[in-house]
Amino acid sequence: MLQSPGIILEDYEVSLRNGFLPDTIPLAHLPEPYYNPWECIAADLPELIRTGRIRQEVEALPVLSTNKLHTEAEWRRAYVLLAFFTHAYIWGGQKPKNVLPPGISCPFLQVSEHLELPPCATYAALNLWNFVPRSTDGDLTDPDNLMVANSFTDTIDEEWFLMISVAIEARGAKVIPMMLNAIDAVNMNEPVRVTSLLDNITQCLGKLAVLLERMYENCNPPVFYHQIRPFLAGSKNMATAGLPDGVFYDRGDGNGEWRQYSGGSNAQSSLIQLFDIVLGVEHRSTGERRPNSGHQAKDRLGFLEEMRNYMPGPHRRFLALLSRISNIRPYAMSHSSYSDVRRAYNEAVIMLGVFRDKHIQIVSRYIIMQSKQKENHTEAGRINLATASSDISSKKDENSRNLHGTGGTSLIPFLKQTRDETKAAARYSG
């Protein structure tokens, strides 16, 4: 197990082989027959949603105990199932449901507490723990070799959308030891080694950007926008979509509480945030949807930092540790503008900016452009979050459409600022 600098990745559930993906393939089925009621719904989830029977099935669920979950893989499988049920129940009808029945709420709250995650469909539920290789020796870095364990729509588009992120996580795994070794090389004041490692990181980032562009191969923008995206939404900042108070997690016997959570977002990827941390890219607090009152607490966390609360606890602690020991940017800044170290650092940051450019292009094609098309993929009377979570401040100017991501941010302003801040890290070091 890698220990650099003084870090044992296993302590943070980071795999030397798979990065933030589990070291072993996620369970595709809970082994205990006691949980068959969950597995039966999961096996038929897309059909239950399509035929409008999902809510009836969920409401009939017994409140199952978590006492029969033993391994971490079983806890993760339970989390994935309950996350999918939660979002299918909330968004799988003509209008959203704002009360989650005890059959989901009770076990989901317990499982979430165990895994140090919120009870909603996070990136961990949708991506990290929701894949199956097509063969035992399948390459996890190739989305063609991956399939989802659970799906809302049973479309190739949803599978491809989710598995592109899984493949990026797998390919990015090799960057993690590079970044740790670069931090170690800075501590040892080895500029040649730092330069070499930064060059390798740049190459890997370039491969991730190429992999991200494969999204276009099998994910149809209208299918994503109208069929898939609504189920990814959370319950936070969703008043326009029909959830002004969020969702009530009913524990039974009149107990429970209202909760609001962001939806699944790539900002919850520990890998993507790790690049910012290690390369010293700083982001200002922006992109949040402000309450109508205009009040914003002075100590409000930036969106990216807030998204760390949607990561598994060990991964969150790993990022916190790296935030404390990251030293590459100041080291690069201490060298001449014409030095190899500064050149290698700038190229790494620029390539991270290129990756973010690719992301903005995908968002523009899959969300912005789709929002301007005549809606013809929604049943009459059915709330489609894809459009319900968009604010139009002026009917005269379609460009004023203020689209928000499933995580609750003002989508394009947030992404562009994140991209610009990334590139600025290189500009101000040149």
Side-chain angles (χ1 to χ4, degrees), residues 186 189 191 194-195 198 278-282 326-346 349 422-430:
V186 168
N189 192 21
V194 171
T195 299
L198 283 171
V278 172
L279 294 176
V281 177
E282 295 184 357
S326 179
N327 54 14
I328 295 175
R329 176 173 170 77
Y331 185 75
M333 294 288 286
S334 71
H335 286 70
S336 164
S337 299
Y338 304 101
S339 67
D340 286 340
V341 171
R342 186 75 74 88
R343 185 269 310 161
Y345 172 79
N346 285 344
V349 172
T422 301
K423 293 182 177 181
R427 184 165 64 250
Y428 295 135
S429 70

Side-chain angles (χ1 to χ4, degrees), residues 346-357:
N346 285 344
E347 289 179 356
V349 172
I350 289 170
M351 187 56 70
L352 181 57
V354 169
F355 181 85
R356 293 209 156 105
D357 277 331

Side-chain angles (χ1 to χ4, degrees), residues 49-68:
I49 293 173
R50 187 186 68 80
T51 59
R53 294 180 289 129
I54 180 59
R55 288 173 175 170
Q56 178 183 348
E57 293 293 325
V58 166
E59 289 164 359
L61 274 176
V63 179
L64 299 182
S65 169
T66 59
N67 291 340
K68 296 182 183 295

Side-chain angles (χ1 to χ4, degrees), residues 176-196:
I176 298 174
M178 291 180 191
M179 291 190 285
L180 294 177
N181 287 330
I183 291 172
D184 187 52
V186 168
N187 287 331
M188 301 297 292
N189 192 21
E190 299 176 342
V192 174
R193 185 171 162 226
V194 171
T195 299
S196 176

Side-chain angles (χ1 to χ4, degrees), residues 282-294:
E282 295 184 357
H283 298 290
R284 300 189 306 278
S285 176
T286 191
E288 299 96 338
R289 297 182 68 173
R290 293 174 179 268
N292 292 334
S293 64

